[in-house]
Amino acid sequence: MLFRWMKRVFQSQPLPQKSEKSFQNQPKPFAKLDPSLSNTLSTIREAFKDSPDFVVREFAESAACDTPLAVCYIEGLTDPVLLIELMEHVVHLVNTAPSIEELRADDVVRKTLPMGHIENLDSPDLIYRAILTGHVVVLVDGENYAIAVPVSGGERRSVQEPTSQTVVRGPKEGFTEEINTNMTLIRRKIRTPDLKFLMHHIGDVTQTSVAVTYIDGIAKPEVVEEVKKRLNSIRTDSILESGYIEEFIQDAPITPFPTMINTERPDTVAGSLLDGQVAILVDGTPFALIAPVTFFNFFQTTEDYYQRYDISTFLRAIRLMSFLVSLLLPSTFIALTTFQQEMIPTTLLITLAAQREGVPFPALLEALLMEITFEVIREAGVRMPRAIGPAISIVGALVIGQAAVEAGLVSGAMVIVVSFTAISNFVIPYFSMATAVRLMRFPFMLLAGTLGLFGILVGAVPLLVHLISLKSFGADYMMPFSPFYKSNMKDLILRVPWWAMKTRPNEKAGQNKTRQSAHQYPSGSDNTVEHIQEPKPDR
């Protein structure tokens, strides 16, 4: 009911009137390129007039040609080796061309360039975008288009092991901030022409490259179209991280629970694509978005599929149990010690009463004090310099906890409850879901401190209804329980062996729901192997 009320309040707010500078629903048309090279260079120089890294190189080595060619680029965004190779080729063309008409005839410049994926640009706006994305733009006098040559390079972070999602067994490579590198990492895992990348440029100022990734024939076409529709509806000046995209296109903006997965692991994205999901790559961030997702996807990791199914099933059960502990343990402790003491064993109750004998605060205030203190220590450990952050966070938690118990501000049992709650929260694989649990823990504590176990029930029922009502790009959030799909139960809490998972998940995959052929049970060898023993030597 709280989420429904917040949604009603947000929807009831009047929309602000659009000013003349507000973003329009349709992008403005691009101006056409002037065939005169001097006029075009003047326009480009005016656009980059205060940019010391912008370079314009004019070529007029031939006696018959008066500045027939010009090359524009930005230092630092181009590969020096490829740039020198391109410059040498342009100089050779200018020196060997008898006239400017020869350069224009039959598109000589475009056809003889040694680089691939060359594009024609017919407007100054497209030229600006190409230059700012690491292309070298070649301009020919008299032509009404420019040539964009991809020679992007410069300083980039190399492919390294992900820092936010580590595994014991599995690939040790993670996404980088370069979208082309990220696309290559996915290509190396899914070697099929059905893997598609649909490019978008979002942000009137940043012009950030965004790629919609899916496998044609496996992903649902309506989901792909919905993702494209939502991306095309974004009208903003900047996209600096995938979190911008997530907030713009998610299904339920008034909910603490994430409806999209963010990951920096290429194998996670590849596995999701093979299940029929769609991934969104954003230039400038190593975190990709995955949709549609369900609630149980946030408790599954790629490592579950790299080890035995029995171990994976046990670990998934541990994660779901840790989710419940992290959400309900403090509130349950508050309710039992405040209202339902008769539910606690007598020996334990006497021990708890002895510990709380000198504590001046009620259990609710005691728990809130400890939880807020731990959140402050956790945030300080994240923001502090890496060299001293872990040491300060660990020492601070131990010292403050021990001092608080000795000073009589909190009981030892409360310190144990808060510590185990925090440890259980770290078990959740995805940080976005773990953060949602941390946020929802406080309302449950307040309800338990005022109504006891009945208050927990009052909060749990609307929360479950809210989860059932959520959707992620058309997929039910609590699927396969609501609605129930028997076939999907093979890869939920119980992870059956690979040879038993014949089909892909429902509500995610398109027409091709078959993952592998039947009868994959490993029968082994039917023939008995006889070991030949060497004769023993005589002694």
Side-chain angles (χ1 to χ4, degrees):
M1 296 180 65
L2 175 62
F3 302 112
R4 193 172 300 172
W5 175 81
M6 293 177 64
K7 183 177 180 180
R8 190 183 304 116
V9 170
F10 274 83
Q11 290 181 345
S12 63
Q13 298 295 327
L15 295 176
Q17 297 295 327
K18 290 186 178 180
S19 62
E20 293 181 358
K21 294 184 179 181
S22 63
F23 297 104
Q24 303 297 322
N25 291 331
Q26 297 295 334
K28 60 182 180 180
F30 292 143
K32 293 298 182 182
L33 190 66
D34 193 334
S36 173
L37 180 59
S38 59
N39 294 340
T40 301
L41 289 179
S42 299
T43 303
I44 297 176
R45 283 194 175 102
E46 180 64 23
F48 293 95
K49 61 180 179 180
D50 293 327
S51 302
D53 54 350
F54 175 67
V55 178
V56 176
R57 179 73 183 276
E58 301 180 31
F59 296 89
E61 300 297 334
S62 177
C65 300
D66 184 15
T67 315
L69 289 177
V71 174
C72 307
Y73 62 93
I74 290 183
E75 291 181 332
L77 296 182
T78 56
D79 189 310
V81 177
L82 295 178
L83 181 61
I84 292 175
E85 183 180 353
L86 175 62
M87 289 294 190
E88 292 176 350
H89 180 77
V90 172
V91 170
H92 175 73
L93 283 178
V94 174
N95 290 335
T96 57
S99 64
I100 185 64
E101 286 75 15
E102 291 292 334
L103 285 176
R104 298 173 186 162
D106 199 24
D107 205 2
V108 172
V109 177
R110 176 182 173 85
K111 292 183 177 180
T112 57
L113 286 174
M115 287 74 179
H117 199 65
I118 299 173
E119 298 181 64
N120 287 349
L121 310 177
D122 58 356
S123 71
D125 297 275
L126 295 178
I127 292 177
Y128 305 153
R129 180 185 299 175
I131 293 175
L132 293 170
T133 53
H135 288 67
V136 171
V137 174
V138 181
L139 299 166
V140 182
D141 188 26
E143 297 287 1
N144 58 356
Y145 65 90
I147 303 172
V149 185
V151 293
S152 60
E155 295 295 329
R156 299 175 180 174
R157 186 171 66 94
S158 60
V159 177
Q160 300 173 351
E161 183 178 0
T163 57
S164 62
Q165 298 169 344
T166 59
V167 296
V168 177
R169 179 177 179 178
K172 304 296 183 180
E173 58 185 8
F175 286 133
T176 67
E177 287 74 16
E178 179 66 29
I179 190 172
N180 292 328
T181 303
N182 298 341
M183 293 166 62
T184 303
L185 291 175
I186 299 176
R187 285 282 189 193
R188 289 175 178 174
K189 297 184 179 300
I190 305 178
R191 298 181 176 91
T192 173
D194 293 332
L195 179 62
K196 307 298 182 181
F197 295 93
L198 304 179
M199 297 302 299
H200 295 73
H201 296 280
I202 305 177
D204 287 9
V205 177
T206 59
Q207 289 294 321
T208 306
S209 299
V210 179
V212 178
T213 310
Y214 67 98
I215 299 179
D216 190 18
I218 295 181
K220 279 188 174 182
E222 52 268 27
V223 173
V224 177
E225 292 299 323
E226 182 65 23
V227 172
K228 292 165 54 180
K229 177 183 176 182
R230 297 187 187 186
L231 289 178
N232 291 330
S233 65
I234 298 176
R235 295 290 178 264
T236 184
D237 60 350
S238 62
I239 297 292
L240 299 180
E241 214 272 339
S242 58
Y244 288 48
I245 299 291
E246 184 176 2
E247 288 198 32
F248 275 119
I249 68 175
Q250 62 184 349
D251 284 77
I254 312 300
T255 180
F257 293 95
T259 56
M260 302 180 71
I261 285 179
N262 62 84
T263 179
E264 56 177 335
R265 296 192 59 86
D267 55 337
T268 300
V269 173
S272 300
L273 295 177
L274 291 169
D275 280 345
Q277 294 165 283
V278 179
I280 301 175
L281 307 178
V282 181
D283 193 22
T285 176
F287 287 91
L289 301 176
I290 299 174
V293 297
T294 65
F295 174 79
F296 299 98
N297 288 141
F298 292 92
F299 301 92
Q300 302 170 355
T301 65
T302 54
E303 196 174 10
D304 293 344
Y305 305 98
Y306 302 154
Q307 53 191 356
R308 287 182 55 87
Y309 60 92
D310 48 358
I311 301 298
S312 300
T313 301
F314 173 74
L315 294 178
R316 287 184 180 181
I318 290 292
R319 295 180 197 129
L320 287 172
M321 184 177 63
S322 299
F323 167 80
L324 296 177
V325 169
S326 178
L327 180 65
L328 300 176
L329 180 59
S331 56
T332 304
F333 183 80
I334 293 171
L336 293 179
T337 55
T338 306
F339 295 96
Q340 284 81 21
Q341 296 93 343
E342 66 277 4
M343 299 184 64
I344 304 176
T346 305
T347 305
L348 179 59
L349 182 61
I350 295 174
T351 303
L352 294 177
Q355 291 181 3
R356 293 189 48 81
E357 185 177 359
V359 177
F361 305 114
L364 174 60
L365 187 58
E366 182 185 2
L368 288 175
L369 178 63
M370 289 299 299
E371 285 287 349
I372 294 175
T373 302
F374 186 82
E375 292 294 337
V376 171
I377 294 175
R378 185 196 325 227
E379 188 66 15
V382 173
R383 306 304 167 193
M384 292 182 68
R386 185 172 298 179
I388 62 176
I392 294 298
S393 60
I394 295 174
V395 173
L398 293 176
V399 172
I400 291 177
Q402 183 67 24
V405 173
E406 293 180 356
L409 297 178
V410 297
S411 62
M414 183 61 72
V415 174
I416 295 175
V417 169
V418 173
S419 301
F420 188 68
T421 301
I423 294 174
S424 299
N425 188 260
F426 290 131
V427 177
I428 301 176
Y430 291 95
F431 183 76
S432 55
M433 179 59 73
T435 305
V437 175
R438 289 164 54 190
L439 181 63
M440 293 302 301
R441 188 187 304 152
F442 291 96
F444 275 98
M445 292 168 58
L446 295 175
L447 290 172
T450 54
L451 300 175
L453 293 178
F454 177 73
I456 298 178
L457 184 63
V458 168
V461 173
L463 180 62
L464 183 59
V465 173
H466 173 68
L467 290 174
I468 294 175
S469 65
L470 288 179
K471 287 185 177 293
S472 175
F473 289 83
D476 294 280
Y477 200 61
M478 294 302 291
M479 191 269 295
F481 283 115
S482 176
F484 181 77
Y485 289 100
K486 182 180 179 181
S487 60
N488 285 22
M489 302 301 291
K490 297 180 179 180
D491 191 17
L492 196 64
I493 303 175
L494 174 67
R495 205 278 277 181
V496 300
W498 267 115
W499 43 262
M501 289 191 292
K502 179 183 176 182
T503 59
R504 310 181 198 277
N506 289 293
E507 287 203 15
K508 292 182 183 178
Q511 297 295 328
N512 184 7
K513 295 185 181 296
T514 302
R515 178 186 280 123
Q516 60 194 18
S517 61
H519 309 296
Q520 296 289 314
Y521 182 82
S523 58
S525 177
D526 295 334
N527 299 323
T528 302
V529 179
E530 296 181 358
H531 297 280
I532 303 177
Q533 298 182 355
E534 295 290 337
K536 296 181 180 181
D538 297 333
R539 294 183 180 179

